[in-house]
Amino acid sequence: MHSAIFDAFDLGIMASSQHLSIPLPSIANIQDSDAPPVSSEIEKSSSSDPEMNSGTDSKSPVENPSNIEFPLGTSSRRSISSIQSKASAGNSTKEVTFGDLLSKPVQYGSLRAESEVLSTSQKEVNEEDARLIYIDDPGKTNERFEFAGNPIRTSKYSVFTFLPRNLFEQFHRVAYIYFLVIAVLNQLPQLAVFGRGASILPLAIVLLVTAIKDAYEDYRRHRSDRVENNRLASVLVSGQFQQKKWKHIQVGEIIKIHANETIPCDMVLLSTSDPTGVAYVQTINLDGESNLKTRYAKQETLSRIPGKEKFSGLIKCEKPNRNIYGFHANMEIDGKRLSLGPSNIILRGCELKNTAWTHGVAVYAGRETKAMLNSSGAPSKRSRLEIQMNHEIITLSLFLVALCTVVSVCAGVWLRHHRNELDDIVFYRKQDYSGDEIGDYNYYGWGMEIFFTFLMAVIVFQIMIPISLYISMELVRVGQAYFMVRDSQMYDEASDSRFQCRALNINEDLGQIKYVFSDKTGTLTENKMEFQCASIWGVDYCGGKTASEDQKDGYSVQVDGNTLRPKMRVKVDPELLRLSRSRKDAQEDNHVHDFFLALAACNTVVPLVVDISDPHVKLVDYQGESPDEQALVYAAAAYGFMLIERTSGHIVIDVQGDRQRFNVLGLHEFDSDRKRMSVILGCPDKTVKVFVKGADTSMFSVMDGSLNLDIIRATESHLHTYSSLGLRTLVVGMKELNTTEFEQWHSSFESASTALIGRAALLRKVASNVENKLCILGASGIEDKLQQGVPEAIESLRTAGIKIWVLTGDKQETAISIGYSSKLLTGQMAQIIINSNSRESCRKSLVDAMAMCEKFVTVSGTNNNTGGTSGAGSALIALIIDGTSLVYILDSELEEMLFQLASRCSVVLCCRVAPLQKAGIVALVKKRTADMTLAIGDGANDVSMIQAADVGVGISGQEGRQAVMASDFAMAQFRFLVPLLLVHGHWNYQRMGYMILYNFYRNAVFVLILFWYVLFACFTLTTAITEWSSVLYSVIYTSVPTIAVGILDKDLSRRTVLKCPQLYGAGHRQECYNKKLFWLTMIDTLWQSSAAFFIPLGAYWGSTIDGSSLGDLWTLAAVILVNLHLAMDVIRWNWISHAAIWGSIIATFVCVIVIDDLPILPGYWAIFHVAKTWLFWLCLLAIVVTALIPRFVIKVLYQYYTPCDIQIAREAEKYRSQREFEAVEIEMNQILDPPRR
């Protein structure tokens, strides 16, 4: 902060020469050493959204935005401030900064949060921890510590590291290690059951497919890195700006950025093309927000032009960290120490907009930039089905051990029994007759032979663990994701955005969701704010919203021969419009004037000019950091208070055609402690006024209660009415400062602004001191409309047995109103409201609520059990609880009481909750139930909740892309949750559950056929089936049909599952995959393998057929059997399914023929010997009939006598009329809550 304080400022209208001798301070950078680092639990307060932020429902920065891109862009917009900067430059000589705010979060419900989020951005910058940057001296800068260069690397591998690192990552899967051990064992001469090449082939194929995929993805990253690193920037070298590749830029160098160029590294601003030092940047590539942000150069460096004069100085800043909204540093130049904050730094990836050029010095480069430090992705999640599958794999492993144990023990008994016959006995033959002299094969003794037999059995039966299942699951998930992305029912035409599948490994979890935790603002609502009501000086102006004829085109002003008109139209109240146009003669007119002046001035909105087809008419687009802020400025413009210019030192507002300039003397941005913001203005009438706006909970406490008590009470009544209508409310106040008060504030403000330790706390204290004894002006009501289809979507989800909890930062009345309009709350529901301010009060409220709930269930239980679509097990009770109560409940022994109460309610509505509390509520449910949870939100304050839930869904709305970048799935509208869960979730769960069971079945059939043969081959692990058929069985013979059916099969049509949401309950009941189904499948496998083995054995018993011919018969029988088994279960046939199933059978015949046609392999010509007889084909027919008839009969009887909902709906689809189908809908089973853990 510069020390020069000018003794006068211009208080005239644009060019007035009258001055008042009041020193001018700089506007503070609120972010400082006391601010915590950005994490998913911390909110970034929006400076104009106290209604939202008062409940800490503000949209916060995220810790790990991923997939950062750096596209070049252009803009046709021009800042009005830049148009008139030359005219106004002489009138503003001070430096003003509007710091991006990040204060300490309200630690509701998390006693450990404050200690968990500490990082370097909170510490004082001292000599030991400081990063020293010598301006325009990169050599000296990097002399002591060699800072990171500017090249970036997002790729994972290099040519030399790809093979070892990729293999290392792949072998994190235990199953791969298992198959590697099997392959290594098979290389030992004592255990060589298969050919050494054949034993490695299955694992090699899986590893190769995955490696090719990873290599292609990394090649794309390499290509992107190469393009990024070779971009050019203007760097000051030897007193002249020269083009230099980004990768060669060093910390300490001065860089010149031109309009629409991307920032190559994190830079502290030194000067800009604007005389007041302002620069506009777009951070969409960094945090997803498209609105322009203002950044400022220090006044002391503005006049210096790098390249024309020597520029030297020292910057001492904090070490690199992820906090994109925080920066703590100081700069020493010309013997002065200046404080630097987040408003003085521009970050890599941002684009310079509406500014001709800027000069800056690089402070962080390459991997140390905040963009790169935030480039990690969302945490990895595993699907519930895959976790359950691992339990079955352990069971199969134990079964495999049991088979191997049986074989080895039996082999030991057989060896002991025939120990005197081993030289020439069939299947063993210890003597070797292959040489000229008769010798013995190696014989290791009875004990070692048993041990080797066990290991050889493991090798032979290895495919009991299906290695192809993992790659099949990945391919199926990719196919499912393709159809989800291409679903036209989840495409939003307004934003031209499709559904995004960002996590492929949890598709099937979408079919088992029991709890949905939803944000309100921007998720249930559009987050497109529209000014509706105003209460000014105790008078409610919310009736007769009709625009008069002369206001048909809205308010407009003339500037340089052009007509400027606000881009967005706002409906106006005729009476209020009349008062706003009146001269400030009456006291009422004064209050109206001050109210709209506060709306136009108390913000950080940037006005931009947008060209349209009419060359004489231009639209003013207000760029703000929140939709609320923009709505208020548009409302002020509609009533004749039009903001047309903002620079770093002043603003220009057209007040009913009279253009007035206000000097911005100070700005205290919104923070979550104060829950309000204020601006100190030097007004044209030579007065200094403080305008304050904020949430009602924080504003009424700072009003002067001795004055205008009736006005305050009337305003409170109007606020309650607005909230009941679902409007977002805001209270506005002001006071006039005399010279003494201003000087006292200025002295404290200047001292706090230049403090290096505790700057944020000091500034908050200064703000609190000036924001008191205010005169109330009024309140505003802003409507945030529900998104299209939200009520219908909530009704469908509740009918499906899904419990919906809404977690919002809005006021209780607002949240309840939205609850009714969205059909989350109904008139039949009893409401339990908990608003407590102590632990004991919370305990008593929970006990009373539990008693009331039990009483209600007892009285109305019969009605609730017979009808109802909200899900049984929970009564028609809505629990409404505020964030203050959650402070005392979460992280305490009261958590269990809250859960027990909430689980008895059909709806839970949490108001005024902080981001950390949202995650705590999700954890509350996850820790106590086995139910699947889904969290959906649109802002960065929802990130912690999204990442805490089993499935996270981000809404790509008005609040940037923080939630999307942290989510597993992303979409544009809340209503798309219905097709996502009820349609794709149901299909994905049904397909994946069946595919896993089928993979277990098909491999177990083959293994058991090998096992039965071993029992008849003296337990010597001799196999009739060729080694190549054993290897190709699960990789080629039977894998394609599984994948095709897993992607394409549908148990029910889209129309049916949407018409009958109760069918979603199949996922809750785990009907498609459970232990019962697993064991029934294994029993069926035992029968089918017995039929496949013993029918040919009996048919050819006593014949001279060789083992290889019989092995070919068993191979073909197994493939035909498992494919026909699959065909019996296919519900919707298509040409791909036909081609996959029948094509696999044909491909197996071809492969067997080719293998037997190679003389170098054992079993030469075997298939031709056996297939020419009628007995071969008769055996195949008998195997299929005998193996599948029991399954067919049981399936028919089960579906006929005890059908499930899905089978009933399927039959209705096929055979019943629409009228009958509607009757079936009533017969659906009641959805019951599963037992809690």
Side-chain angles (χ1 to χ4, degrees):
M1 185 70 65
H2 65 282
S3 59
I5 302 295
F6 294 90
D7 292 330
F9 67 97
D10 187 356
L11 294 172
I13 302 176
M14 293 300 292
S16 175
S17 61
Q18 295 177 330
H19 296 81
L20 176 67
S21 179
I22 300 179
L24 303 184
S26 298
I27 293 178
N29 299 318
I30 304 297
Q31 174 66 33
D32 80 324
S33 58
D34 280 347
V38 179
S39 69
S40 59
E41 294 91 353
I42 299 178
E43 57 176 336
K44 171 182 177 286
S45 303
S46 174
S47 61
S48 66
D49 200 1
E51 165 61 24
M52 177 171 65
N53 289 311
S54 63
T56 60
D57 194 22
S58 60
K59 307 303 177 184
S60 66
V62 296
E63 185 170 10
N64 46 0
S66 60
N67 301 328
I68 296 176
E69 300 174 2
F70 307 95
L72 286 170
T74 58
S75 174
S76 62
R77 299 179 174 187
R78 303 188 308 276
S79 169
I80 302 179
S81 60
S82 62
I83 295 175
Q84 300 188 1
S85 60
K86 293 183 178 181
S88 60
N91 297 322
S92 179
T93 56
K94 64 187 182 63
E95 178 265 343
V96 185
T97 57
F98 295 68
D100 281 335
L101 181 70
L102 181 64
S103 61
K104 287 186 179 179
V106 181
Q107 300 296 343
Y108 291 148
S110 178
L111 303 177
R112 303 176 300 275
E114 186 171 354
S115 62
E116 289 174 352
V117 298
L118 293 176
S119 82
T120 56
S121 65
Q122 286 185 276
K123 300 176 183 177
E124 178 194 0
V125 178
N126 53 48
E127 292 293 340
E128 297 179 359
D129 296 328
R131 181 183 181 95
L132 303 179
I133 292 97
Y134 295 89
I135 301 175
D136 197 22
D137 193 347
K140 189 175 181 181
T141 299
N142 292 273
E143 182 179 10
R144 180 181 175 188
F145 301 108
E146 188 170 346
F147 299 129
N150 204 43
I152 63 165
R153 179 181 173 184
T154 60
S155 56
K156 295 171 61 176
Y157 312 107
S158 68
V159 175
F160 301 104
T161 63
F162 175 78
L163 188 60
R165 186 172 178 182
N166 187 261
L167 289 176
F168 176 77
E169 291 178 353
Q170 291 199 57
F171 278 109
H172 274 70
R173 281 181 168 168
V174 178
Y176 287 9
I177 298 177
Y178 162 78
F179 283 100
L180 178 63
V181 171
I182 296 294
V184 171
L185 289 176
N186 195 72
Q187 307 307 307
L188 301 177
Q190 298 90 340
L191 306 176
V193 179
F194 297 143
R196 295 180 177 178
S199 63
I200 298 176
L201 187 62
L203 179 61
I205 291 176
V206 173
L207 293 175
L208 180 63
V209 170
T210 306
I212 291 174
K213 175 181 72 72
D214 292 342
Y216 175 69
E217 291 177 352
D218 205 57
Y219 166 73
R220 295 177 61 186
R221 286 191 286 263
H222 272 287
R223 186 173 57 185
S224 175
D225 291 347
R226 195 179 306 115
V227 171
E228 188 74 9
N229 290 328
N230 289 324
R231 295 170 73 171
L232 298 176
S234 296
V235 180
L236 187 64
V237 179
S238 302
Q240 293 184 344
F241 282 104
Q242 301 177 8
Q243 292 294 303
K244 197 174 187 179
K245 291 183 178 180
W246 279 20
K247 62 183 178 182
H248 296 145
I249 292 175
Q250 293 179 285
V251 172
E253 290 185 317
I254 294 178
I255 305 167
K256 184 174 185 178
I257 308 296
H258 296 88
N260 299 320
E261 287 185 351
T262 303
I263 313 301
C265 57
D266 294 353
M267 302 163 40
V268 167
L269 279 178
L270 298 176
S271 59
T272 75
S273 58
D274 190 289
T276 61
V278 66
Y280 300 100
V281 294
Q282 189 176 64
T283 61
I284 191 169
N285 295 325
L286 190 64
D287 59 12
E289 296 181 3
S290 58
N291 293 331
L292 296 187
K293 311 295 192 304
T294 50
R295 298 292 183 264
Y296 304 91
K298 305 301 288 186
Q299 191 73 29
E300 287 77 2
T301 62
L302 271 180
S303 58
R304 302 195 175 194
I305 305 299
K308 294 184 179 180
E309 59 180 297
K310 180 62 178 176
F311 206 119
S312 62
L314 173 65
I315 294 177
K316 184 193 296 182
C317 64
E318 61 190 350
K319 291 182 178 179
N321 60 76
R322 291 182 173 186
N323 188 353
I324 62 174
Y325 292 97
F327 178 65
H328 184 202
N330 55 66
M331 178 166 56
E332 297 177 4
I333 187 169
D334 294 337
K336 300 176 183 177
R337 171 174 286 192
L338 312 176
S339 177
L340 299 176
S343 64
N344 306 121
I345 187 172
I346 51 179
L347 305 181
R348 179 182 182 125
C350 301
E351 291 185 34
L352 186 66
K353 297 290 185 180
N354 302 100
T355 308
W357 53 262
T358 64
H359 293 135
V361 57
V363 290
Y364 304 121
R367 65 178 183 274
E368 294 179 342
T369 59
K370 295 180 182 291
M372 294 305 298
L373 290 174
N374 279 280
S375 63
S376 58
S380 178
K381 298 178 182 178
R382 295 178 63 197
S383 75
R384 181 70 55 86
L385 209 58
E386 187 171 348
I387 295 173
Q388 294 173 338
M389 178 192 78
N390 289 337
H391 297 158
E392 269 61 75
I393 287 181
I394 293 174
T395 302
L396 289 175
S397 301
L398 295 176
F399 183 60
L400 173 62
V401 171
L403 291 181
C404 297
T405 302
V406 169
V407 171
S408 59
V409 170
C410 291
V413 173
W414 185 89
L415 286 172
R416 176 67 66 179
H417 184 68
H418 297 87
R419 58 183 177 275
N420 298 323
E421 310 169 36
L422 295 179
D423 288 345
D424 298 296
I425 195 169
V426 179
F427 293 115
Y428 196 84
R429 206 186 64 194
K430 191 173 72 172
Q431 288 192 346
D432 181 8
Y433 297 95
S434 60
D436 296 334
E437 297 181 5
I438 298 176
D440 285 346
Y441 288 108
N442 290 331
Y443 181 71
Y444 300 97
W446 183 66
M448 289 302 294
E449 288 291 330
I450 293 176
F451 177 68
F452 287 149
T453 301
F454 181 87
L455 294 181
M456 286 190 289
V458 172
I459 296 173
V460 172
F461 303 150
Q462 61 178 295
I463 64 169
M464 176 65 78
I465 311 300
I467 187 173
S468 62
L469 176 58
Y470 291 99
I471 197 71
S472 297
M473 290 176 70
E474 288 191 11
L475 294 175
V476 166
R477 285 165 174 162
V478 169
Q480 292 172 350
Y482 172 80
F483 286 108
M484 286 193 289
V485 171
R486 303 298 299 175
D487 189 350
S488 61
Q489 301 299 314
M490 294 194 292
Y491 168 72
D492 184 55
E493 188 174 357
S495 60
D496 190 28
S497 59
R498 290 191 176 274
F499 177 82
Q500 299 178 44
C501 187
R502 298 173 52 83
L504 292 176
N505 53 342
I506 57 173
N507 291 353
E508 57 271 20
D509 281 350
L510 295 171
Q512 297 179 278
I513 300 300
K514 184 65 177 177
Y515 288 88
V516 169
F517 300 92
S518 175
D519 177 39
K520 182 188 78 69
T521 304
T523 304
L524 299 179
T525 61
E526 293 181 345
N527 204 18
K528 294 180 179 178
M529 310 302 174
E530 184 175 338
F531 184 86
Q532 293 291 334
C533 302
S535 171
I536 303 177
W537 201 245
V539 180
D540 183 13
Y541 299 97
C542 62
K545 290 286 181 180
T546 55
S548 57
E549 286 299 321
D550 59 340
Q551 282 292 311
K552 183 174 63 174
D553 295 328
Y555 184 79
S556 61
V557 299
Q558 298 294 321
V559 176
D560 298 333
N562 294 320
T563 300
L564 296 183
R565 184 178 298 136
K567 183 180 178 181
M568 190 174 75
R569 292 286 307 279
V570 177
K571 293 181 180 179
V572 296
D573 182 273
E575 176 62 19
L576 185 56
L577 182 63
R578 182 189 65 79
L579 291 174
S580 68
R581 290 177 171 177
S582 303
R583 295 294 178 185
K584 295 196 302 179
D585 300 329
Q587 185 179 15
E588 184 179 20
D589 297 340
N590 277 331
H591 296 311
V592 171
H593 176 276
D594 289 337
F595 178 82
F596 285 113
L597 183 60
L599 297 189
C602 192
N603 53 68
T604 57
V605 163
V606 178
L608 300 176
V609 171
V610 180
D611 295 324
I612 59 175
S613 57
D614 188 344
H616 301 293
V617 177
K618 301 183 184 301
L619 300 182
V620 179
D621 182 12
Y622 291 118
Q623 292 280 313
E625 296 193 10
S626 79
D628 298 71
E629 190 173 63
Q630 293 169 295
L632 293 175
V633 179
Y634 276 116
Y639 283 97
F641 292 75
M642 187 171 175
L643 176 66
I644 61 174
E645 179 184 347
R646 179 182 297 279
T647 71
S648 59
H650 68 268
I651 56 175
V652 175
I653 300 175
D654 187 286
V655 180
Q656 303 298 342
D658 185 11
R659 196 173 308 164
Q660 301 181 11
R661 168 176 161 156
F662 299 83
N663 287 76
V664 181
L665 308 179
L667 178 71
H668 294 285
E669 293 203 39
F670 182 92
D671 66 65
S672 58
D673 291 340
R674 293 164 36 247
K675 298 182 176 65
R676 54 184 177 265
M677 76 168 294
S678 59
V679 62
I680 294 92
L681 296 182
C683 302
D685 58 0
K686 305 180 183 180
T687 61
V688 176
K689 294 180 180 180
V690 180
F691 291 95
V692 188
K693 68 178 181 182
D696 55 348
T697 53
S698 67
M699 288 294 291
F700 286 122
S701 62
V702 296
M703 295 295 175
D704 190 346
S706 62
L707 302 174
N708 310 314
L709 188 58
D710 293 340
I711 303 299
I712 294 177
R713 289 175 177 172
T715 304
E716 287 178 326
S717 175
H718 296 156
L719 283 171
H720 186 273
T721 302
Y722 296 167
S723 298
S724 301
L725 295 174
L727 303 182
R728 297 158 65 84
T729 57
L730 203 68
V731 177
V732 181
M734 65 156 287
K735 75 172 181 179
E736 185 173 332
L737 297 180
N738 57 37
T739 304
T740 303
E741 290 173 329
F742 176 80
E743 289 177 348
Q744 183 180 358
W745 166 83
H746 165 257
S747 176
S748 302
F749 186 83
E750 192 74 10
S751 176
S753 301
T754 56
L756 295 180
I757 304 176
R759 191 191 312 167
L762 292 173
L763 285 169
R764 281 194 293 270
K765 183 177 179 180
V766 172
S768 299
N769 289 337
V770 77
E771 296 166 349
N772 58 38
K773 295 184 179 180
L774 302 177
C775 172
I776 190 169
L777 292 176
S780 64
I782 299 175
E783 181 182 14
D784 187 7
K785 294 182 179 179
L786 277 178
Q787 292 181 10
Q788 178 186 350
V790 166
E792 295 80 5
I794 289 178
E795 183 63 24
S796 294
L797 295 175
R798 292 179 59 200
T799 305
I802 299 173
K803 294 185 177 181
I804 301 176
W805 293 23
V806 173
L807 317 177
T808 178
D810 278 337
K811 293 178 60 179
Q812 187 170 287
E813 296 84 359
T814 303
I816 292 175
S817 175
I818 293 295
Y820 278 112
S821 60
S822 65
K823 293 187 180 179
L824 184 70
L825 302 175
T826 64
Q828 292 75 33
M829 285 184 181
Q831 292 184 7
I832 297 176
I833 300 177
I834 299 179
N835 295 327
S836 303
N837 53 12
S838 70
R839 180 162 299 185
E840 287 306 315
S841 176
C842 286
R843 188 189 307 276
K844 185 177 183 304
S845 298
L846 290 172
V847 171
D848 294 342
M850 288 287 289
M852 175 183 173
C853 190
E854 294 291 344
K855 181 179 179 180
F856 184 85
V857 171
T858 303
V859 172
S860 60
T862 304
N863 294 334
N864 203 34
N865 289 334
T866 56
T869 60
S870 62
S874 54
L876 287 177
I877 300 176
L879 172 62
I880 302 167
I881 186 169
D882 67 349
T884 306
S885 302
L886 290 173
V887 173
Y888 304 103
I889 294 176
L890 297 179
D891 295 329
S892 73
E893 70 280 1
L894 300 180
E895 271 192 349
E896 183 62 29
M897 295 179 64
L898 174 62
F899 174 75
Q900 294 296 333
L901 174 62
S903 62
R904 287 169 169 77
C905 300
S906 56
V907 172
V908 177
L909 186 58
C910 301
C911 314
R912 302 277 191 179
V913 290
L916 207 58
Q917 287 178 308
K918 293 184 178 184
I921 293 168
V922 174
L924 176 77
V925 174
K926 285 185 66 176
K927 286 189 295 186
R928 291 168 174 80
T929 73
D931 298 324
M932 297 290 294
T933 58
L934 179 147
I936 180 171
D938 75 315
N941 66 322
D942 303 314
V943 167
S944 56
M945 172 180 72
I946 287 172
Q947 294 185 340
D950 295 302
V951 177
V953 178
I955 298 289
S956 52
Q958 304 295 311
E959 291 289 346
R961 293 179 55 84
Q962 299 98 319
V964 170
M965 289 187 282
S967 66
D968 305 304
F969 305 96
M971 54 192 184
Q973 297 285 322
F974 179 85
R975 70 177 188 273
F976 295 161
L977 207 57
V978 173
L980 177 64
L981 298 184
L982 303 192
V983 179
H984 293 286
H986 174 82
W987 286 345
N988 293 345
Y989 170 69
Q990 178 266 331
R991 294 162 176 166
M992 192 63 73
Y994 179 81
M995 191 191 80
I996 293 172
L997 288 174
Y998 176 78
N999 272 269
F1000 290 156
Y1001 149 78
R1002 68 167 192 186
N1003 282 31
V1005 164
F1006 197 78
V1007 168
L1008 287 174
I1009 290 175
L1010 296 175
F1011 174 74
W1012 299 132
Y1013 182 80
V1014 167
L1015 298 184
F1016 287 87
C1018 302
F1019 316 105
T1020 57
L1021 277 308
T1022 302
T1023 58
I1025 298 175
T1026 65
E1027 60 187 34
W1028 284 103
S1029 291
S1030 297
V1031 168
L1032 297 177
Y1033 175 78
S1034 59
V1035 178
I1036 294 180
Y1037 292 173
T1038 57
S1039 60
V1040 175
T1042 311
I1043 296 171
V1045 173
I1047 295 175
L1048 300 173
D1049 197 29
K1050 300 176 184 177
D1051 60 343
L1052 293 169
S1053 67
R1054 175 191 292 267
R1055 182 173 177 274
T1056 300
V1057 293
L1058 289 178
K1059 186 173 182 62
C1060 302
Q1062 300 97 321
L1063 295 170
Y1064 187 78
H1068 297 156
R1069 297 185 292 270
Q1070 300 183 356
E1071 291 182 359
C1072 296
Y1073 188 88
N1074 52 58
K1075 287 191 177 296
K1076 179 182 176 181
L1077 281 176
F1078 172 77
W1079 287 111
L1080 287 175
T1081 301
M1082 290 300 103
I1083 293 172
D1084 189 25
T1085 299
L1086 193 64
W1087 165 255
Q1088 292 191 28
S1089 66
S1090 300
F1093 176 79
F1094 287 105
I1095 288 177
L1097 184 67
Y1100 287 99
W1101 191 268
S1103 69
T1104 59
I1105 189 173
D1106 63 334
S1108 296
S1109 298
L1110 203 56
D1112 289 341
L1113 174 56
W1114 280 322
T1115 300
L1116 294 170
V1119 172
I1120 294 172
L1121 183 62
V1122 298
N1123 277 286
L1124 289 179
H1125 176 110
L1126 179 63
M1128 285 177 58
D1129 294 333
V1130 172
I1131 299 162
R1132 276 177 167 72
W1133 285 92
N1134 52 63
W1135 70 268
I1136 298 178
S1137 301
H1138 281 290
I1141 292 176
W1142 314 123
S1144 290
I1145 295 175
I1146 296 172
T1148 303
F1149 272 93
V1150 173
C1151 288
V1152 169
I1153 292 172
V1154 171
I1155 291 172
D1156 285 356
D1157 198 33
L1158 298 175
I1160 61 174
L1161 298 177
Y1164 176 65
W1165 218 248
I1167 185 64
F1168 300 101
H1169 289 306
V1170 70
K1172 63 184 179 183
T1173 64
W1174 60 269
L1175 186 58
F1176 171 83
W1177 303 102
L1178 183 61
C1179 283
L1180 288 178
L1181 179 61
I1183 289 170
V1184 171
V1185 173
T1186 306
L1188 295 181
I1189 276 186
R1191 172 181 174 80
F1192 179 76
V1193 171
I1194 293 174
K1195 190 174 181 179
V1196 170
L1197 293 176
Y1198 175 76
Q1199 293 186 7
Y1200 186 80
Y1201 289 105
T1202 58
C1204 64
D1205 289 345
I1206 295 204
Q1207 290 159 354
I1208 295 172
R1210 193 184 305 150
E1211 293 300 313
E1213 269 187 350
K1214 293 180 180 178
Y1215 305 115
R1216 300 187 181 184
S1217 65
Q1218 180 62 32
R1219 185 175 181 180
E1220 291 174 318
F1221 179 61
E1222 291 174 355
V1224 172
E1225 182 180 0
I1226 304 174
E1227 299 172 7
M1228 293 295 170
N1229 292 330
Q1230 189 175 8
I1231 298 174
L1232 300 174
D1233 289 340
R1236 290 185 283 275
R1237 331 186 243 229

